[in-house]
PDB file of all heavy atoms in Angstrom:
ATOM      1  N   ALA A   1       3.363  25.283 -65.112  1.00 98.00           N
ATOM      2  CA  ALA A   1       2.813  26.551 -64.822  1.00 98.00           C
ATOM      3  C   ALA A   1       2.052  26.372 -63.473  1.00 98.00           C
ATOM      4  O   ALA A   1       1.912  25.238 -63.039  1.00 98.00           O
ATOM      5  CB  ALA A   1       1.791  27.109 -65.839  1.00 98.00           C
ATOM      6  N   VAL A   2       1.604  27.418 -62.948  1.00 98.00           N
ATOM      7  CA  VAL A   2       0.671  27.395 -61.866  1.00 98.00           C
ATOM      8  C   VAL A   2      -0.794  27.470 -62.474  1.00 98.00           C
ATOM      9  O   VAL A   2      -1.039  28.370 -63.261  1.00 98.00           O
ATOM     10  CB  VAL A   2       0.813  28.623 -60.808  1.00 98.00           C
ATOM     11  CG1 VAL A   2      -0.244  28.592 -59.801  1.00 98.00           C
ATOM     12  CG2 VAL A   2       2.223  28.529 -60.269  1.00 98.00           C
ATOM     13  N   TYR A   3      -1.566  26.502 -62.066  1.00 98.00           N
ATOM     14  CA  TYR A   3      -2.841  26.411 -62.681  1.00 98.00           C
ATOM     15  C   TYR A   3      -3.926  26.913 -61.669  1.00 98.00           C
ATOM     16  O   TYR A   3      -3.897  26.474 -60.502  1.00 98.00           O
ATOM     17  CB  TYR A   3      -3.213  24.994 -62.984  1.00 98.00           C
ATOM     18  CG  TYR A   3      -2.533  24.532 -64.226  1.00 98.00           C
ATOM     19  CD1 TYR A   3      -1.128  24.419 -64.383  1.00 98.00           C
ATOM     20  CD2 TYR A   3      -3.249  24.318 -65.480  1.00 98.00           C
ATOM     21  CE1 TYR A   3      -0.446  24.024 -65.546  1.00 98.00           C
ATOM     22  CE2 TYR A   3      -2.616  23.933 -66.614  1.00 98.00           C
ATOM     23  CZ  TYR A   3      -1.319  23.752 -66.708  1.00 98.00           C
ATOM     24  OH  TYR A   3      -0.574  23.377 -67.880  1.00 98.00           O
ATOM     25  N   TYR A   4      -4.733  27.906 -62.084  1.00 98.00           N
ATOM     26  CA  TYR A   4      -5.778  28.602 -61.276  1.00 98.00           C
ATOM     27  C   TYR A   4      -7.111  28.118 -61.647  1.00 98.00           C
ATOM     28  O   TYR A   4      -7.462  28.254 -62.831  1.00 98.00           O
ATOM     29  CB  TYR A   4      -5.591  30.041 -61.365  1.00 98.00           C
ATOM     30  CG  TYR A   4      -4.333  30.571 -60.796  1.00 98.00           C
ATOM     31  CD1 TYR A   4      -3.175  30.816 -61.679  1.00 98.00           C
ATOM     32  CD2 TYR A   4      -4.176  30.990 -59.408  1.00 98.00           C
ATOM     33  CE1 TYR A   4      -1.998  31.274 -61.176  1.00 98.00           C
ATOM     34  CE2 TYR A   4      -2.916  31.506 -58.962  1.00 98.00           C
ATOM     35  CZ  TYR A   4      -1.865  31.641 -59.808  1.00 98.00           C
ATOM     36  OH  TYR A   4      -0.706  32.154 -59.314  1.00 98.00           O
ATOM     37  N   CYS A   5      -7.995  27.739 -60.712  1.00 98.00           N
ATOM     38  CA  CYS A   5      -9.348  27.583 -60.911  1.00 98.00           C
ATOM     39  C   CYS A   5     -10.021  28.944 -60.816  1.00 98.00           C
ATOM     40  O   CYS A   5      -9.684  29.794 -60.101  1.00 98.00           O
ATOM     41  CB  CYS A   5      -9.899  26.615 -59.853  1.00 98.00           C
ATOM     42  SG  CYS A   5     -11.647  26.362 -59.976  1.00 98.00           S
ATOM     43  N   THR A   6     -11.018  29.094 -61.691  1.00 98.00           N
ATOM     44  CA  THR A   6     -11.820  30.342 -61.735  1.00 98.00           C
ATOM     45  C   THR A   6     -13.335  29.961 -61.781  1.00 98.00           C
ATOM     46  O   THR A   6     -13.725  29.031 -62.341  1.00 98.00           O
ATOM     47  CB  THR A   6     -11.470  31.242 -62.946  1.00 98.00           C
ATOM     48  OG1 THR A   6     -12.007  32.491 -62.795  1.00 98.00           O
ATOM     49  CG2 THR A   6     -11.747  30.569 -64.239  1.00 98.00           C
ATOM     50  N   ALA A   7     -14.096  30.935 -61.209  1.00 97.00           N
ATOM     51  CA  ALA A   7     -15.482  30.885 -61.222  1.00 97.00           C
ATOM     52  C   ALA A   7     -16.008  32.249 -61.479  1.00 97.00           C
ATOM     53  O   ALA A   7     -15.532  33.259 -60.868  1.00 97.00           O
ATOM     54  CB  ALA A   7     -16.083  30.261 -59.945  1.00 97.00           C
ATOM     55  N   VAL A   8     -17.054  32.380 -62.363  1.00 95.00           N
ATOM     56  CA  VAL A   8     -17.583  33.695 -62.733  1.00 95.00           C
ATOM     57  C   VAL A   8     -18.964  33.843 -62.259  1.00 95.00           C
ATOM     58  O   VAL A   8     -19.801  32.951 -62.549  1.00 95.00           O
ATOM     59  CB  VAL A   8     -17.580  33.922 -64.269  1.00 95.00           C
ATOM     60  CG1 VAL A   8     -18.092  35.270 -64.591  1.00 95.00           C
ATOM     61  CG2 VAL A   8     -16.031  33.807 -64.697  1.00 95.00           C
ATOM     62  N   THR A   9     -19.289  34.923 -61.548  1.00 92.00           N
ATOM     63  CA  THR A   9     -20.583  35.246 -60.977  1.00 92.00           C
ATOM     64  C   THR A   9     -20.875  36.607 -61.371  1.00 92.00           C
ATOM     65  O   THR A   9     -20.138  37.531 -61.028  1.00 92.00           O
ATOM     66  CB  THR A   9     -20.668  35.015 -59.468  1.00 92.00           C
ATOM     67  OG1 THR A   9     -19.786  36.024 -58.847  1.00 92.00           O
ATOM     68  CG2 THR A   9     -20.285  33.667 -59.017  1.00 92.00           C
ATOM     69  N   TYR A  10     -22.062  36.859 -62.096  1.00 89.00           N
ATOM     70  CA  TYR A  10     -22.468  38.207 -62.516  1.00 89.00           C
ATOM     71  C   TYR A  10     -21.349  39.039 -63.049  1.00 89.00           C
ATOM     72  O   TYR A  10     -21.212  40.216 -62.696  1.00 89.00           O
ATOM     73  CB  TYR A  10     -23.060  38.895 -61.270  1.00 89.00           C
ATOM     74  CG  TYR A  10     -24.204  38.189 -60.635  1.00 89.00           C
ATOM     75  CD1 TYR A  10     -24.110  37.709 -59.334  1.00 89.00           C
ATOM     76  CD2 TYR A  10     -25.434  37.883 -61.346  1.00 89.00           C
ATOM     77  CE1 TYR A  10     -25.122  36.912 -58.769  1.00 89.00           C
ATOM     78  CE2 TYR A  10     -26.425  37.105 -60.781  1.00 89.00           C
ATOM     79  CZ  TYR A  10     -26.237  36.666 -59.461  1.00 89.00           C
ATOM     80  OH  TYR A  10     -27.271  36.061 -58.887  1.00 89.00           O
ATOM     81  N   GLY A  11     -20.450  38.402 -63.925  1.00 86.00           N
ATOM     82  CA  GLY A  11     -19.370  39.066 -64.540  1.00 86.00           C
ATOM     83  C   GLY A  11     -18.170  39.313 -63.697  1.00 86.00           C
ATOM     84  O   GLY A  11     -17.207  39.749 -64.186  1.00 86.00           O
ATOM     85  N   TYR A  12     -18.117  38.867 -62.534  1.00 93.00           N
ATOM     86  CA  TYR A  12     -16.983  38.934 -61.605  1.00 93.00           C
ATOM     87  C   TYR A  12     -16.227  37.549 -61.517  1.00 93.00           C
ATOM     88  O   TYR A  12     -16.904  36.545 -61.332  1.00 93.00           O
ATOM     89  CB  TYR A  12     -17.394  39.310 -60.232  1.00 93.00           C
ATOM     90  CG  TYR A  12     -16.194  39.566 -59.256  1.00 93.00           C
ATOM     91  CD1 TYR A  12     -15.486  40.832 -59.287  1.00 93.00           C
ATOM     92  CD2 TYR A  12     -15.763  38.675 -58.534  1.00 93.00           C
ATOM     93  CE1 TYR A  12     -14.445  41.028 -58.567  1.00 93.00           C
ATOM     94  CE2 TYR A  12     -14.594  38.812 -57.635  1.00 93.00           C
ATOM     95  CZ  TYR A  12     -14.058  40.022 -57.617  1.00 93.00           C
ATOM     96  OH  TYR A  12     -12.885  40.241 -56.837  1.00 93.00           O
ATOM     97  N   SER A  13     -15.005  37.632 -61.643  1.00 95.00           N
ATOM     98  CA  SER A  13     -14.096  36.353 -61.704  1.00 95.00           C
ATOM     99  C   SER A  13     -13.483  36.163 -60.293  1.00 95.00           C
ATOM    100  O   SER A  13     -12.803  37.035 -59.719  1.00 95.00           O
ATOM    101  CB  SER A  13     -13.092  36.445 -62.654  1.00 95.00           C
ATOM    102  OG  SER A  13     -13.532  36.479 -63.961  1.00 95.00           O
ATOM    103  N   TRP A  14     -13.762  34.981 -59.729  1.00 96.00           N
ATOM    104  CA  TRP A  14     -13.187  34.603 -58.439  1.00 96.00           C
ATOM    105  C   TRP A  14     -11.976  33.569 -58.861  1.00 96.00           C
ATOM    106  O   TRP A  14     -12.013  32.896 -59.803  1.00 96.00           O
ATOM    107  CB  TRP A  14     -14.179  33.867 -57.569  1.00 96.00           C
ATOM    108  CG  TRP A  14     -15.378  34.692 -57.228  1.00 96.00           C
ATOM    109  CD1 TRP A  14     -16.524  34.809 -57.990  1.00 96.00           C
ATOM    110  CD2 TRP A  14     -15.484  35.556 -56.150  1.00 96.00           C
ATOM    111  NE1 TRP A  14     -17.389  35.708 -57.408  1.00 96.00           N
ATOM    112  CE2 TRP A  14     -16.824  36.140 -56.347  1.00 96.00           C
ATOM    113  CE3 TRP A  14     -14.720  35.927 -55.102  1.00 96.00           C
ATOM    114  CZ2 TRP A  14     -17.217  37.143 -55.380  1.00 96.00           C
ATOM    115  CZ3 TRP A  14     -15.137  36.835 -54.138  1.00 96.00           C
ATOM    116  CH2 TRP A  14     -16.430  37.445 -54.300  1.00 96.00           C
ATOM    117  N   TRP A  15     -10.969  33.531 -57.990  1.00 97.00           N
ATOM    118  CA  TRP A  15      -9.791  32.775 -58.169  1.00 97.00           C
ATOM    119  C   TRP A  15      -9.384  31.933 -57.144  1.00 97.00           C
ATOM    120  O   TRP A  15      -9.544  32.355 -55.915  1.00 97.00           O
ATOM    121  CB  TRP A  15      -8.642  33.617 -58.644  1.00 97.00           C
ATOM    122  CG  TRP A  15      -8.884  34.390 -59.888  1.00 97.00           C
ATOM    123  CD1 TRP A  15      -9.353  35.635 -59.931  1.00 97.00           C
ATOM    124  CD2 TRP A  15      -8.688  34.094 -61.225  1.00 97.00           C
ATOM    125  NE1 TRP A  15      -9.455  36.029 -61.277  1.00 97.00           N
ATOM    126  CE2 TRP A  15      -9.076  35.071 -62.118  1.00 97.00           C
ATOM    127  CE3 TRP A  15      -8.216  32.818 -61.747  1.00 97.00           C
ATOM    128  CZ2 TRP A  15      -8.962  34.985 -63.475  1.00 97.00           C
ATOM    129  CZ3 TRP A  15      -8.152  32.688 -63.189  1.00 97.00           C
ATOM    130  CH2 TRP A  15      -8.517  33.778 -64.011  1.00 97.00           C
ATOM    131  N   GLY A  16      -8.990  30.710 -57.242  1.00 97.00           N
ATOM    132  CA  GLY A  16      -8.313  29.943 -56.300  1.00 97.00           C
ATOM    133  C   GLY A  16      -6.829  30.313 -56.070  1.00 97.00           C
ATOM    134  O   GLY A  16      -6.381  31.224 -56.743  1.00 97.00           O
ATOM    135  N   GLN A  17      -6.210  29.716 -55.171  1.00 97.00           N
ATOM    136  CA  GLN A  17      -4.834  30.033 -54.844  1.00 97.00           C
ATOM    137  C   GLN A  17      -3.760  29.533 -55.841  1.00 97.00           C
ATOM    138  O   GLN A  17      -2.637  29.915 -55.879  1.00 97.00           O
ATOM    139  CB  GLN A  17      -4.467  29.665 -53.415  1.00 97.00           C
ATOM    140  CG  GLN A  17      -5.170  30.395 -52.363  1.00 97.00           C
ATOM    141  CD  GLN A  17      -4.698  30.214 -50.987  1.00 97.00           C
ATOM    142  OE1 GLN A  17      -4.207  29.088 -50.689  1.00 97.00           O
ATOM    143  NE2 GLN A  17      -4.777  31.145 -50.086  1.00 97.00           N
ATOM    144  N   GLY A  18      -4.234  28.568 -56.686  1.00 97.00           N
ATOM    145  CA  GLY A  18      -3.427  27.974 -57.686  1.00 97.00           C
ATOM    146  C   GLY A  18      -2.696  26.609 -57.230  1.00 97.00           C
ATOM    147  O   GLY A  18      -2.529  26.451 -56.053  1.00 97.00           O
ATOM    148  N   THR A  19      -2.364  25.846 -58.160  1.00 97.00           N
ATOM    149  CA  THR A  19      -1.681  24.571 -57.933  1.00 97.00           C
ATOM    150  C   THR A  19      -0.530  24.390 -58.973  1.00 97.00           C
ATOM    151  O   THR A  19      -0.835  24.622 -60.223  1.00 97.00           O
ATOM    152  CB  THR A  19      -2.640  23.359 -57.894  1.00 97.00           C
ATOM    153  OG1 THR A  19      -1.903  22.187 -57.495  1.00 97.00           O
ATOM    154  CG2 THR A  19      -3.368  23.181 -59.281  1.00 97.00           C
ATOM    155  N   GLN A  20       0.570  24.105 -58.509  1.00 98.00           N
ATOM    156  CA  GLN A  20       1.742  23.981 -59.388  1.00 98.00           C
ATOM    157  C   GLN A  20       1.749  22.643 -60.183  1.00 98.00           C
ATOM    158  O   GLN A  20       1.562  21.511 -59.611  1.00 98.00           O
ATOM    159  CB  GLN A  20       3.043  24.010 -58.631  1.00 98.00           C
ATOM    160  CG  GLN A  20       4.288  23.881 -59.417  1.00 98.00           C
ATOM    161  CD  GLN A  20       4.491  25.072 -60.317  1.00 98.00           C
ATOM    162  OE1 GLN A  20       4.417  26.154 -59.905  1.00 98.00           O
ATOM    163  NE2 GLN A  20       4.902  24.851 -61.576  1.00 98.00           N
ATOM    164  N   VAL A  21       1.889  22.789 -61.468  1.00 98.00           N
ATOM    165  CA  VAL A  21       2.106  21.604 -62.411  1.00 98.00           C
ATOM    166  C   VAL A  21       3.447  21.794 -63.060  1.00 98.00           C
ATOM    167  O   VAL A  21       3.761  22.805 -63.639  1.00 98.00           O
ATOM    168  CB  VAL A  21       1.014  21.632 -63.515  1.00 98.00           C
ATOM    169  CG1 VAL A  21       1.398  20.523 -64.481  1.00 98.00           C
ATOM    170  CG2 VAL A  21      -0.349  21.344 -62.819  1.00 98.00           C
ATOM    171  N   THR A  22       4.325  20.797 -62.745  1.00 98.00           N
ATOM    172  CA  THR A  22       5.675  20.814 -63.432  1.00 98.00           C
ATOM    173  C   THR A  22       5.816  19.595 -64.228  1.00 98.00           C
ATOM    174  O   THR A  22       5.579  18.380 -63.789  1.00 98.00           O
ATOM    175  CB  THR A  22       6.709  20.791 -62.293  1.00 98.00           C
ATOM    176  OG1 THR A  22       6.494  21.978 -61.530  1.00 98.00           O
ATOM    177  CG2 THR A  22       8.102  20.846 -62.951  1.00 98.00           C
ATOM    178  N   VAL A  23       6.193  19.771 -65.520  1.00 98.00           N
ATOM    179  CA  VAL A  23       6.357  18.647 -66.438  1.00 98.00           C
ATOM    180  C   VAL A  23       7.838  18.607 -66.821  1.00 98.00           C
ATOM    181  O   VAL A  23       8.410  19.541 -67.326  1.00 98.00           O
ATOM    182  CB  VAL A  23       5.446  18.854 -67.726  1.00 98.00           C
ATOM    183  CG1 VAL A  23       5.623  17.589 -68.669  1.00 98.00           C
ATOM    184  CG2 VAL A  23       4.024  19.009 -67.384  1.00 98.00           C
ATOM    185  N   SER A  24       8.456  17.482 -66.505  1.00 97.00           N
ATOM    186  CA  SER A  24       9.918  17.364 -66.801  1.00 97.00           C
ATOM    187  C   SER A  24      10.129  16.689 -68.113  1.00 97.00           C
ATOM    188  O   SER A  24       9.316  15.775 -68.521  1.00 97.00           O
ATOM    189  CB  SER A  24      10.617  16.502 -65.586  1.00 97.00           C
ATOM    190  OG  SER A  24      10.103  15.213 -65.609  1.00 97.00           O
ATOM    191  N   SER A  25      11.230  17.010 -68.776  1.00 94.00           N
ATOM    192  CA  SER A  25      11.542  16.482 -70.114  1.00 94.00           C
ATOM    193  C   SER A  25      12.362  15.137 -70.030  1.00 94.00           C
ATOM    194  O   SER A  25      12.766  14.795 -68.917  1.00 94.00           O
ATOM    195  CB  SER A  25      12.229  17.501 -70.939  1.00 94.00           C
ATOM    196  OG  SER A  25      13.462  17.907 -70.308  1.00 94.00           O
TER     197      SER A  25
END
């Protein structure tokens, strides 16, 4: 998936741009 960092301030969620994680079988 794309993994997103989040931070919450006064009830508002901020988001990073995301980083791809790929797990092969």
Side-chain angles (χ1 to χ4, degrees):
V2 177
Y3 284 68
Y4 294 92
C5 178
T6 186
V8 179
T9 63
Y10 304 116
Y12 184 85
S13 295
W14 304 89
W15 298 94
Q17 291 190 332
T19 185
Q20 177 70 46
V21 170
T22 303
V23 184
S24 63
S25 57

